[in-house]
Amino acid sequence: MAPHAHQHQNQHQNQHHHASGHEGPHDEPFVAELLDLEAEVLHAHLTEVTGRLADLTADRPVRRILDLGSGTGTGTFALLRRFEDAEAIAVDASPRLLHHLRGRARELGVADRVRTVEADLDAAWPDFGNIDLVWASGALHHMSDPDRTLREAYAALAPGGLLAVIEMAGVPYFLPHDLGVGRPGLEARCRAALSDRHAEAMPHRGADWGPLLSRAGFTVEAEWPYAVELVPPLPEATGRYARAVLSRMRTALDGRADTDDLATLDTLIDSDGPHSVLHRDDLAVRTERTVWAARRAYWSTGSQA
Ligand SMILES: C[S@@+](CC[C@H](N)C(=O)[O-])C[C@H]1O[C@@H](n2cnc3c(N)ncnc32)[C@H](O)[C@@H]1O
């Protein structure tokens, strides 16, 4: 990679960035922890996804990867493991998450293969050069104008390059219907109470990305929904991951759920006590995700952006 590989390039396009879905900068250490725990718990699924991308790129070497809304680098590091000759550019609006990512890159011994760029992907993009693989996991639904983001992604790709979009149906379910504390069905009620808020803040959450990809000029080569269903024995980090997700949910539910349910949630996210998710042996991880793999035409040379 170029000599400036280790440098943090501040290419922030405008001061009013809107990494929507975050409560604000004070929330970012917490988000970093949550994203890292998610990476650990869902590691095997991610490995499966990158394996399928390797099949789809078998005829075209992947040397330059662009991770959109990289967060703490879950996708970046999974891709660098899979594509051993590749370098990655991790882009995010959050300087703190990118700082965290650079620390992880050093720990993993791949700092010389990663460059971070702080940029608002809702604004005009910096020039990333020709990219072979663009990865956008859990990122597109944050964009205020995803059509525009997809056109930029198309323009950033080399002819024949691939875009992988991963979106999830929502945060995972962890708990059994009957918790042995509070009223049964707590998790379902919490999701229902938050769904309006999510729909308002992120209207593209749960979108069918196929038509949007086609509209931006891509050929959708594969679309595969997959269900994550982890049951005991669970990865070691599962309790902490559940606690991070439910704590975030608890904050968002203030004033939106009845006091009994809030009290039950408090009991679950408490670090002590028999009902704490850190100690329960009846947790599971259930969620659904969809991956879209879309190609920029081989013969296309012009930009669609
Ligand atoms: C749900 S997280 C996903 C992180 C990561 N891709 C992963 O799979 O773990 C969404 C990320 O998108 C970033 N983001 C949201 N809006 C953005 C924007 N307008 N420009 C750049 N990044 C943005 C957030 O800061 C956050 O890191």
Side-chain angles (χ1 to χ4, degrees), residues 75-253:
T76 300
F77 300 127
L79 292 165
L80 289 179
R81 263 194 306 277
R82 174 68 63 188
F83 299 100
E84 290 176 348
D85 297 327
E87 294 166 347
I89 304 171
V91 191
D92 205 283
S94 160
R96 290 184 76 163
L97 295 182
L98 291 175
H99 176 77
H100 185 94
L101 185 153
R102 289 192 297 279
R104 289 279 295 139
R106 284 191 295 275
E107 281 165 24
L108 295 169
V110 294
D112 58 338
R113 295 171 62 203
V114 187
R115 177 158 67 95
T116 57
V117 175
E118 182 191 336
D120 178 359
L121 292 163
D122 265 332
W125 285 20
D127 181 5
F128 296 115
N130 264 3
I131 301 294
D132 302 308
L133 176 61
V134 175
W135 169 271
S137 175
L140 286 187
H141 68 268
H142 287 280
M143 300 296 133
S144 57
D145 183 357
D147 278 311
R148 175 194 169 138
T149 309
L150 291 176
R151 285 196 303 274
E152 292 275 16
Y154 190 95
L157 278 166
L162 201 73
L163 165 67
V165 172
I166 304 179
E167 286 288 326
M168 55 219 89
V171 294
Y173 280 77
F174 298 101
L175 301 165
H177 181 72
D178 190 350
L179 294 163
V181 59
R183 276 186 297 143
L186 173 79
E187 230 175 352
R189 274 195 306 283
C190 292
R191 310 300 163 117
L194 288 177
S195 72
D196 285 355
R197 182 181 188 227
H198 284 148
E200 201 181 311
M202 294 174 280
H204 305 290
R205 202 168 180 253
D208 176 5
W209 292 94
L212 280 92
L213 288 161
S214 303
R215 209 150 67 209
F218 286 99
T219 303
V220 179
E221 291 200 350
E223 173 181 341
W224 70 93
Y226 66 96
V228 173
E229 172 131 22
L230 304 182
V231 292
L234 294 164
E236 188 274 320
T238 306
R240 282 179 288 134
Y241 175 46
R243 184 169 184 251
V245 170
L246 295 175
S247 302
R248 197 163 161 79
M249 201 181 273
R250 169 68 181 87
T251 307
L253 278 168

